Amino acid sequence: MVARSAMMAYEDRVEPRDETLCRTWLFDAGGARHSVTVVNASLNGFMARAEADLSIGERVVLTLPVIGDRTAEIRWSLGGRVGAKFAQELPASLYPCALAAMR
């Protein structure tokens, strides 16, 4: 059941994602810092590889190049990967520079 709902959330994206390969920090709801690798992103969300045990619905903070810290909500978690939706859309004017830095 969990795997199915995680994949449904993964496939239910509204916009396409840009491929990235960016090692950065993610802070969980308790404030613990975790190393993650962001493998794709958009103005509204991201997917990352993470060894941390992150729960669906958990609020996290992701540090992005150029843009800085952004709050997001974990939407799915499966096999060492997580997908999250940003609380606020990333600034469109900064996104191309951030994306270039994440590749």
Side-chain angles (χ1 to χ4, degrees), residues 26-98:
L26 181 142
F27 298 86
D28 66 24
R33 182 175 76 165
H34 305 280
S35 177
V36 299
T37 302
V38 178
V39 295
N40 70 44
S42 72
L43 290 172
N44 290 296
F46 67 92
M47 181 175 79
R49 290 192 302 256
E51 292 184 21
D53 184 24
L54 302 167
S55 301
I56 295 171
E58 184 173 355
R59 305 272 295 177
V60 298
V61 175
L62 181 72
T63 301
L64 294 170
V66 180
I67 294 173
D69 291 348
R70 291 296 179 180
T71 301
E73 179 183 327
I74 301 297
R75 302 300 291 264
W76 61 270
S77 179
L78 180 65
R81 296 177 298 151
V82 296
K85 181 178 181 353
F86 292 118
Q88 293 184 317
E89 184 174 280
L90 299 179
S93 61
L94 297 178
Y95 183 69
C97 294

Side-chain angles (χ1 to χ4, degrees), residues 4 22 84:
R4 180 181 169 146
C22 177

